Amino acid sequence: MSFRYILKQAAKKEEVTVSVAGAEDLEVLHAVHMAISSELANFILVGDERKITELIAANFPELVESGSVVIRHAVSSAEAAMKAVKAVSEGEASVLMKGQIETAPLLKEVLNKEYGLRTGSVLSHVALFEVPSLERSIFVTDAGMNVEPDLQQKVHIIRNAVEIAHVIGINLPRVAPLAAVEVINSAMKATIDAAALTQMNRRGQITGCIVDGPLALDNAISMEAAKHKSVGGEVAGRADILVVPTLESGNILYKSLMYFGNSQVGSIIAGAKAPIVLTSRADSAQSKLNSLALAICSSN
């Protein structure tokens, strides 16, 4: 399930508009330009109008007269976040994207009771990695939102990731709740939660996937490791979704895959009324484009 495939699927979606909060950033505008060139979406660019216009004129002049771009001025990050979220909540756009602003003001508006994008679900970070050494893609969740999720939050985290997996064509994803070991240890909360999640899946409380854990990382992704350690089951060695026990461990795995594993990544925030592209300001334009494609595929 490569990003090339996901980009092609995103291009098949019709009339998608992305609302960008804080668009006065070269890498963000580079991703916008790439997306428009690939006919993925139209864009509402919210932020400092003068800076956005100058950056476009200097770097992407073909967008100056483009009907695919609308610029809306905002005098502050707070106003940019508010206007960008309102564009989604009022139906002008179906995807929200974070630009050159802090995460906190954007999420504050996302969670605004009056016009935000709240649902009954937990918001969670879902990242898809195209890993060269695995020769396949794999999801990691949650590496960006929930610091130390409890059992019920992990249920929502799995459901959000499974929904995204379904969207890109993985009909019955294999879900591995990760821990340091495969046995249940009362001193290790991750193993207890993993066992409970497995049982909840077997009883039909978590559907649309196969959950089996606890699994250590090696036994979740490597058939050879699983066989060597005599770890059986339908998920061992073949996991599609890795559920990390904490944000800290997820962040380390995320960055290890990027910097040590030379992986391509795309990530979104799921669980809201619309997908949210919440990439790091340090992410490349290609990562932002991958995230946009994933979000567009997930949009209604």
Side-chain angles (χ1 to χ4, degrees):
M1 200 59 63
S2 68
F3 282 113
R4 181 179 297 178
Y5 169 82
I6 293 169
L7 285 161
K8 286 181 180 178
Q9 294 303 110
K12 293 178 182 178
K13 300 271 286 193
E14 296 182 358
E15 297 301 318
V16 176
T17 298
V18 179
S19 178
V20 184
E24 58 273 30
D25 175 77
L26 185 58
E27 286 297 313
V28 169
L29 292 174
H30 189 187
V32 168
H33 177 253
M34 293 167 73
I36 291 172
S37 298
S38 300
E39 299 182 345
L40 297 186
N42 299 318
F43 287 84
I44 299 170
L45 305 179
V46 186
D48 186 312
E49 185 175 12
R50 180 183 61 81
K51 289 182 180 178
I52 295 170
T53 302
E54 288 177 352
L55 283 168
I56 289 176
N59 298 278
F60 314 106
E62 60 272 32
L63 295 184
V64 172
E65 301 295 331
S66 172
S68 297
V69 172
V70 173
I71 301 173
R72 292 185 181 166
H73 183 63
V75 298
S76 65
S77 293
E79 185 180 6
M82 181 267 290
K83 287 185 174 181
V85 169
K86 276 193 170 182
V88 178
S89 66
E90 292 172 0
E92 288 186 273
S94 52
V95 173
L96 177 65
M97 182 177 182
K98 172 181 174 286
Q100 188 67 6
I101 66 171
E102 296 291 338
T103 298
L106 184 62
L107 290 180
K108 179 182 177 182
E109 299 303 325
V110 168
L111 298 174
N112 187 295
K113 292 181 180 179
E114 182 182 349
Y115 54 78
L117 307 176
R118 294 160 59 115
T119 66
S121 180
V122 168
L123 298 184
S124 61
H125 185 269
V126 182
L128 179 64
F129 287 91
E130 192 175 310
V131 187
S133 59
L134 287 181
E135 297 183 347
R136 64 189 177 96
S137 298
I138 196 163
F139 286 98
V140 174
T141 189
D142 174 355
M145 283 294 295
N146 298 281
V147 179
E148 291 191 24
D150 59 24
L151 180 62
Q152 196 54 45
Q153 287 173 317
K154 287 177 181 178
V155 171
H156 285 278
I157 287 168
I158 289 174
R159 286 174 178 161
N160 287 345
V162 166
E163 184 175 332
I164 305 304
H166 288 173
V167 161
I168 65 168
I170 305 174
N171 296 323
L172 192 65
R174 299 178 178 91
V175 180
L178 296 182
V181 294
E182 283 71 39
V183 296
I184 299 171
N185 184 328
S186 61
M188 302 172 75
K189 181 178 180 292
T191 66
I192 297 171
D193 284 356
L197 292 165
T198 300
Q199 191 63 21
M200 292 172 78
N201 175 243
R202 291 172 181 171
R203 291 182 173 181
Q205 293 171 268
I206 303 172
T207 60
C209 60
I210 301 170
V211 182
D212 194 16
L215 288 173
L217 178 63
D218 56 347
N219 298 319
I221 63 173
S222 168
M223 287 296 295
E224 183 179 351
K227 288 178 181 177
H228 185 72
K229 295 183 179 181
S230 300
V231 178
E234 295 181 75
V235 175
R238 298 180 291 174
D240 299 300
I241 299 172
L242 303 177
V243 181
V244 298
T246 65
L247 183 146
E248 188 172 46
S249 60
N251 183 274
I252 293 168
L253 177 57
Y254 183 105
K255 290 176 179 173
S256 294
L257 285 168
M258 284 185 64
Y259 290 97
F260 295 147
N262 197 30
S263 303
Q264 278 203 58
V265 65
S267 61
I268 64 174
I269 300 297
K273 291 179 182 177
I276 304 168
V277 178
L278 198 69
T279 54
S280 167
R281 285 172 290 175
D283 283 349
S284 68
Q286 184 62 53
S287 292
K288 288 178 168 64
L289 180 66
N290 292 342
S291 301
L292 273 169
L294 193 60
I296 289 166
C297 286
S298 307
S299 65
N300 295 323

